[in-house]
Amino acid sequence: MNEISLNIKKLIAETIPNSVMAALEGACQGIENKAVDNCPSDDGTLRGSITHRVEQSDGTFTGYIGSNAEYAPYVHEGTGLYAKDGKGRKNVPWVYRDAEGNFHSTKGQDPNPFLQKAVDESMDDILREFEGCLDDGT
């Protein structure tokens, strides 16, 4: 096999996937940072739960940004009468008890789409991450 063929095989097998993964990592980290900045905070639990990861499998590159906090979807999408796209509870108000044992009545909470806002705000940065990912540095 000649040198050109070997370089092409290396480019396809290593250089391109490594470049794409590095760009994806940078893009996801940027979105994560903005999501943390956009996230409401009482005690910092939700902000602290926002993470990202990137994966490559069978030629597919995937980035995930999100939170494993159980209540994250409710903050992001809203609840009750105020839920995004009218998908919240309609039998309102409802009563709940807080951690201190106090009762509260609510009709829901407005959505705070901190993650979607981070993605929307990051579009130019994402494109910049991928813009030069296949350059060889020369």
Side-chain angles (χ1 to χ4, degrees):
M1 191 173 293
N2 66 31
E3 186 176 346
I4 293 173
S5 295
L6 288 173
N7 286 339
I8 291 172
K9 284 185 183 251
K10 182 179 179 186
L11 179 72
I12 292 169
E14 296 174 26
T15 306
I16 292 173
N18 291 344
S19 294
V20 171
M21 285 295 285
L24 184 58
E25 173 67 31
C28 288
Q29 182 65 63
I31 295 169
E32 177 186 325
N33 293 344
K34 286 186 181 191
V36 168
D37 290 344
N38 293 339
C39 184
S41 179
D42 281 336
D43 63 8
T45 301
L46 183 56
R47 282 184 178 181
S49 72
I50 298 170
T51 61
H52 77 277
R53 76 175 194 277
V54 296
E55 297 176 355
Q56 176 191 359
S57 177
D58 298 325
T60 300
F61 301 86
T62 308
Y64 302 92
I65 305 103
S67 167
N68 64 356
E70 184 178 320
Y71 61 94
Y74 303 112
V75 172
H76 195 273
E77 301 297 308
T79 61
L81 295 178
Y82 312 108
K84 182 179 174 196
D85 300 327
K87 294 183 180 176
R89 177 187 283 195
K90 304 295 185 250
N91 56 334
V92 294
W94 70 92
V95 176
Y96 68 96
R97 187 185 322 195
D98 66 20
E100 287 80 38
N102 300 312
F103 287 93
H104 303 274
S105 176
T106 184
K107 294 180 181 179
Q109 79 175 22
D110 289 321
N112 187 333
F114 58 92
L115 184 55
Q116 184 60 57
K117 183 178 177 189
V119 171
D120 294 344
E121 291 173 346
S122 297
M123 293 311 292
D124 289 342
D125 297 331
I126 293 167
L127 292 173
R128 270 192 295 282
E129 286 286 345
F130 284 93
E131 211 168 53
C133 78
L134 299 182
D135 291 346
D136 64 1
T138 59

